[in-house]
């Protein structure tokens, strides 16, 4: 079986995001880059499938600048076999451009299953997986919290409000990973050493002009928090009064 | 007739989700500014009766895709149907809810139309005849203003953020069948079953009040006190990742960067420290209350109101006091 995981490098979730003086970019100095947390679930799932099905090969594909190799190496250290970097100069191509670059790359590859994270935690666009599915004319189940493969088919459980949709789909298919799909492993030292030496294939793809562009970044309005009503249960009546009369939320 | 704005509504089991009224009201507002009409789309099975009441939220026309393939959500069926409808209407703006359905459907339609999409928007405005979308990025650490270089403009709107405007007096509403350009046999991925979560309880992403518990809850059975509070308020119960990872609550309850984004009117955080990844999911709540025994917990910097104290004393008292108000 051949599995492809599409993964992105993103800022660590602890990173303080700084807007550049031109208001149109994010400062990339001082950012600690990691493998997108949702993509970790995707990588982990691929490796678990490989462990259960000998002969399975897992390939990681990432679209991004040169530095993305560190996220790719994390995936290899976790157990992925091969890697492709679709190298771009643009720091932040939009989802349409990324999906097209991926679709073009994947077209010449073999796969039974393509895994994505449900979203990248930088642009939070939630688009690339389903867009690639449409471009490649593949079935796709998003936000998957449980995946079972059998005989040319997959059963995927998708999280919705107040419940779970149980999908059946033919393979090949695209699945995007939700938290809860699995518990990603920490790479073992051996994997980390191996990942350092691993050859990463590089591809160049011309990116399409953006369909949506950021014209301005702003910081969200600061919350004027810090109003301590009081201590312990004695403060409750005053809190309830404030919620009722001042905030008018109850 | 030119339909400038199409609102893709969402219904389940014959009732609309609140977000449908939110996007329809926003569609009306935009159409009034852009000049043009508002069309709504409904997908479902035997749902024709749902069309007419949408006039009250500003729809001039409703297109009903009534077909057994829409008994449950169909990603392939819905995306093809909506894409064809957008083309037929020559819609300039298409709005979706940023719900599980909308987040799945919108990018597919965008790919089919080969256009851009702004996901999970918190505001839209018209500037020189163009739509500008505002949306949080980097888990809400920044807000980005987006401009579109392609047409139609596609956007999904974060639930609970946009106002619902109802108008009085029935106006003329045109009701039409939407074409469903797919057959059951064409579908490769289908929903076989929907498992409702215990008691079909309210989802945190949709609730107007959310009561959340963290590691400070100490044990799964203690969440009972939050459920009692939630019951009084008609709220949903959420959790921090620490509580979820400990196995006290299901993943679907997690609020935060790798959990759900919530925008309720009231968010009550109990025994939650306020780590940056948790704040990412709830800081756009209109009013935040924190109960924590550590006066230095970062959650107090975001909370509108805080009580420093033991949640096991504060929460039951809060339930008791709120009951008095609610009963009034
Ligand atoms: C990639 C990544 C993604 C993440 N995503 C999320 C996410 O989506 N959501 C999320 O929540 N976290 C997320 N986290 C985890 C986050 O960093 C924190 O670890 C987590 O939010 C802490 O949960 P907590 O506040 O419940 O626990 P703690 O930080 O342990 O805080 C418990 C609090 O309870 C208080 N307390 C204890 N007992 C009582 C009592 N009796 N009465 C009152 N107060 C009491 C304590 O003072 C303390 O402040 C993520 C982390 C990473 C690295």
């Amino acid at each position: 079986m051949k599995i492809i995981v599409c993964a992105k490098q993103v800022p660590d979730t602890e990173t303080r995001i700084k807007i550049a003086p031109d208001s149109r970019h994010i400062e990339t100095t001082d950012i600690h880059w990691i493998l997108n947390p949702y993509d970790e679930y995707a990588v982990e799932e691929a490796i678990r499938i490989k462990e259960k099905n000998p002969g399975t090969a897992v390939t990681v594909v990432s679209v991004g600048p040169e530095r993305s190799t560190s996220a790719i190496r994390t995936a290899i250290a976790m157990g992925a076999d091969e890697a492709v970097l679709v190298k771009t100069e643009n720091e932040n191509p939009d989802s349409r451009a990324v999906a097209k670059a991926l679709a073009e790359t994947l077209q010449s590859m073999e796969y039974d299953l393509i895994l994505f994270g449900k979203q990248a935690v930088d642009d939070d666009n939630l688009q690339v997986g389903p867009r690639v599915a449409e471009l490649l004319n593949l079935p796709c189940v998003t936000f998957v919290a449980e995946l079972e493969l059998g005989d040319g088919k997959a059963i995927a459980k998708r999280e919705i409000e107040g419940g779970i949709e149980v999908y059946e789909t033919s393979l090949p298919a695209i699945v995007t990973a939700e938290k809860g799909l699995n518990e990603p492993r920490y790479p073992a030292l051996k994997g980390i050493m191996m990942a350092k030496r691993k050859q990463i294939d590089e591809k160049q793809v011309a990116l399409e002009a953006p369909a949506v562009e950021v014209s301005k970044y702003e910081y969200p309005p600061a919350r004027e928090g810090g109003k301590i009503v009081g201590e312990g249960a004695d403060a409750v009546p005053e809190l309830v009064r404030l919620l009722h009369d001042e905030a008018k939320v109850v | 007739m030119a339909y400038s704005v199409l609102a893709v509504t969402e219904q389940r089991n014959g009732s609309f989700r609140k977000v449908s009224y939110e996007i329809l009201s926003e569609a009306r507002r935009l159409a009034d500014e852009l000049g043009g009409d508002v069309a709504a789309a409904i997908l479902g099975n035997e749902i024709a009766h749902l069309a007419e009441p949408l006039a009250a939220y500003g729809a001039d026309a409703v297109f009903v895709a009534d077909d057994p393939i829409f008994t449950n959500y169909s990603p392939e069926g819905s995306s093809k149907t909506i894409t064809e409808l957008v083309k037929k209407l020559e819609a300039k703006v298409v709005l979706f809810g940023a719900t599980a359905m909308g987040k799945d459907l919108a990018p597919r339609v965008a790919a089919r139309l080969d256009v851009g999409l702004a996901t999970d928007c918190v505001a839209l405005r018209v500037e020189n005849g163009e739509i500008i979308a505002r949306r949080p990025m980097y888990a809400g650490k920044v807000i980005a203003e987006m401009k579109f270089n392609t047409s139609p403009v596609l956007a999904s709107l974060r639930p609970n953020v946009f106002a619902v405007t109802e108008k009085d007096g029935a106006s003329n509403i045109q009701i039409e069948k939407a074409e469903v350009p797919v057959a059951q046999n064409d579908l490769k991925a289908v929903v076989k079953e929907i498992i409702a979560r215990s008691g079909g309880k309210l989802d945190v992403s949709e609730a107007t009040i959310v009561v959340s518990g963290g590691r400070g809850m100490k044990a799964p059975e203690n969440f009972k006190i939050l459920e009692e509070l939630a019951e009084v308020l008609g709220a949903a119960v959420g959790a921090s990742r620490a509580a979820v990872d400990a196995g006290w609550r299901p993943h679907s309850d997690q609020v935060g960067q790798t959990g759900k984004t919530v925008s309720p009117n009231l968010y009550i955080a109990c025994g939650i420290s306020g780590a940056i990844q948790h704040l990412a999911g709830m800081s756009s709540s209109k009013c935040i209350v924190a109960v924590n025994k550590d006066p230095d917990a970062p959650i107090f910097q975001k909370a509108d109101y805080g009580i420093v104290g033991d949640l096991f004393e504060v929460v039951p008292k809060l339930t008791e006091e709120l009951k008095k108000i609610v009963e009034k």
Side-chain angles (χ1 to χ4, degrees):
Chain A
M1 192 152 146
K2 291 195 161 49
I3 305 178
I4 295 173
V5 183
C6 297
K8 184 181 186 183
Q9 187 194 43
V10 298
D12 187 325
T13 54
E14 294 276 354
T15 303
R16 184 177 292 276
I17 299 297
K18 268 192 271 169
I19 299 170
D22 71 358
S23 296
R24 296 193 51 209
H25 297 89
I26 297 296
E27 300 267 22
T28 50
T29 43
D30 298 340
I31 286 181
H32 174 229
W33 299 96
I34 58 164
L35 173 60
N36 176 39
Y38 288 107
D39 299 344
E40 269 188 43
Y41 300 114
V43 173
E44 177 64 34
E45 195 65 14
I47 293 160
R48 289 189 187 194
I49 296 167
K50 179 175 115 173
E51 285 166 349
K52 272 195 235 151
N53 302 276
T56 298
V58 177
T59 305
V60 181
V61 181
S62 185
V63 175
E66 181 70 38
R67 59 168 162 72
S68 309
T69 48
S70 77
I72 292 175
R73 289 193 199 282
T74 303
I76 298 170
M78 287 172 72
D81 303 291
E82 301 295 331
V84 179
L85 172 63
V86 181
K87 212 162 121 185
T88 64
E89 299 303 325
N90 185 342
E91 279 282 330
N92 286 302
D94 78 339
S95 297
R96 182 180 70 150
V98 172
K100 285 187 174 180
L102 277 173
E104 191 183 323
T105 309
L106 296 172
Q107 219 137 37
S108 58
M109 297 173 71
E110 285 178 56
Y111 48 78
D112 302 287
L113 179 67
I114 305 174
L115 291 160
F116 286 79
K118 77 160 177 176
Q119 81 193 82
V121 303
D122 50 2
D123 56 30
D124 290 322
N125 272 331
L126 296 117
Q127 296 186 26
V128 177
R131 274 187 183 263
V132 170
E134 292 296 334
L135 293 170
L136 295 177
N137 196 21
L138 290 172
C140 169
V141 188
T142 55
F143 307 178
V144 169
E146 211 180 308
L147 181 66
E148 212 179 291
L149 299 181
D151 211 15
K153 273 194 329 196
I155 304 288
K157 293 188 177 164
R158 181 172 116 89
E159 296 262 350
I160 60 169
E161 298 85 0
I164 290 163
E165 286 174 343
V166 185
Y167 279 78
E168 188 180 297
T169 179
S170 57
L171 294 179
I174 286 183
V175 162
T176 78
E178 171 68 284
K179 178 177 186 270
L181 181 60
N182 51 48
E183 209 44 69
R185 69 194 66 194
Y186 289 106
L189 189 62
K190 187 164 151 255
I192 296 171
M193 297 315 287
M194 214 173 63
K196 279 193 182 147
R197 292 191 301 269
K198 187 79 193 176
Q199 168 80 28
I200 297 173
D201 280 347
E202 280 192 11
K203 282 206 161 65
Q204 217 91 38
V205 170
L207 285 183
E208 193 146 335
V212 253
E213 264 179 284
V214 176
S215 47
K216 184 169 78 177
Y217 285 106
E218 285 170 21
Y219 294 108
R223 290 194 79 97
E224 285 187 32
K227 180 164 181 180
I228 301 290
V229 179
E231 284 187 23
D234 292 346
V236 169
E238 175 61 2
L239 171 66
V240 171
R241 191 192 67 76
L242 290 166
L243 292 178
H244 189 61
D245 299 343
E246 191 175 88
K248 297 188 166 48
V249 286
V250 291
Chain B
M1 216 198 304
Y3 290 101
S4 58
V5 188
L6 173 66
V8 180
T9 66
E10 186 175 345
Q11 61 82 28
R12 232 185 268 164
N13 303 322
S15 32
F16 286 111
R17 335 213 76 193
K18 181 164 162 265
V19 70
S20 299
Y21 304 128
E22 294 166 2
I23 60 169
L24 197 45
S25 303
E26 182 65 7
R28 178 78 264 163
R29 198 185 65 78
L30 293 174
D32 287 343
E33 260 190 77
L34 292 164
D37 292 333
V38 172
I42 316 178
L43 304 111
N45 188 23
E46 303 191 355
I47 36 93
H49 62 283
L50 295 178
E52 201 164 324
L54 291 184
Y57 302 91
D60 298 304
V62 181
F63 291 82
V64 184
D66 205 340
D67 195 290
I69 70 163
F70 297 127
T71 305
N72 293 318
Y73 170 59
S74 165
E76 292 155 270
S78 304
S79 53
K80 286 184 181 157
T81 301
I82 296 299
T83 303
E84 288 315 307
L85 187 59
V86 173
K87 286 185 188 161
K88 176 181 145 169
L89 300 176
E90 297 179 25
K92 296 196 182 62
V93 180
V94 186
L95 303 183
F96 301 81
T99 56
M101 181 191 112
K103 284 176 182 165
D104 186 85
L105 177 58
R108 295 173 190 262
V109 174
R112 287 180 170 272
L113 296 167
D114 193 24
V115 298
L117 159 70
T119 314
D120 207 17
C121 299
V122 294
L124 297 174
R125 67 167 195 277
V126 180
E127 204 173 278
N128 304 325
E130 309 279 331
I131 300 274
I132 307 283
R134 284 174 70 83
R135 57 181 303 269
M137 278 199 194
Y138 298 89
K141 290 174 196 167
V142 294
I143 306 283
E145 290 212 345
M146 317 288 304
K147 67 179 178 97
F148 295 82
N149 300 328
T150 48
S151 176
V153 161
L154 267 55
S156 65
L157 310 190
R158 179 176 289 189
N160 279 338
V161 172
F162 291 81
V164 174
T165 2
E166 242 180 297
K167 52 175 197 176
D168 329 308
S171 55
N172 278 339
I173 186 163
Q174 187 188 336
I175 296 171
E176 281 189 42
K177 258 194 156 117
E179 234 163 288
V180 180
V182 265
Q184 190 82 52
N185 294 341
D186 302 341
L187 305 176
K188 285 178 279 193
V190 286
V191 177
K192 289 283 173 192
E193 184 193 355
I194 293 182
I195 307 168
R197 218 164 279 130
S198 55
K201 71 181 162 82
L202 199 56
D203 193 81
V204 284
S205 62
E206 293 186 308
T208 49
I209 302 182
V210 176
V211 178
S212 276
R215 205 193 312 265
M217 296 304 297
K218 304 260 177 0
E221 59 274 14
N222 294 336
F223 271 84
K224 200 169 91 242
I225 64 170
L226 296 191
E227 269 154 15
E228 283 161 4
L229 174 58
E231 173 86 42
V232 169
L233 292 170
V237 177
S240 74
R241 178 164 177 172
V244 169
D245 286 355
W248 303 345
R249 303 298 288 180
H251 291 289
S252 50
D253 288 356
Q254 185 183 316
V255 171
Q257 183 147 27
T258 44
K260 295 205 168 123
T261 304
V262 299
S263 308
N265 291 333
L266 175 60
Y267 188 85
I268 307 180
C270 307
I272 293 177
S273 60
I276 192 159
Q277 297 92 350
H278 187 79
L279 298 175
M282 46 66 81
S283 57
S284 69
S285 305
K286 277 158 215 114
C287 178
I288 298 172
V289 171
V291 180
N292 197 304
K293 64 180 184 189
D294 172 10
D296 296 325
I299 189 81
F300 286 124
Q301 280 152 37
K302 295 281 167 179
D304 298 277
Y305 307 110
I307 290 186
V308 178
D310 188 340
L311 71 92
F312 294 103
E313 291 161 19
V314 174
V315 173
K317 177 83 176 154
L318 188 56
T319 307
E320 189 188 309
E321 289 292 317
L322 283 168
K323 222 184 238 163
K324 288 184 204 160
I325 290 205
V326 173
E327 277 165 6
K328 248 190 241 164

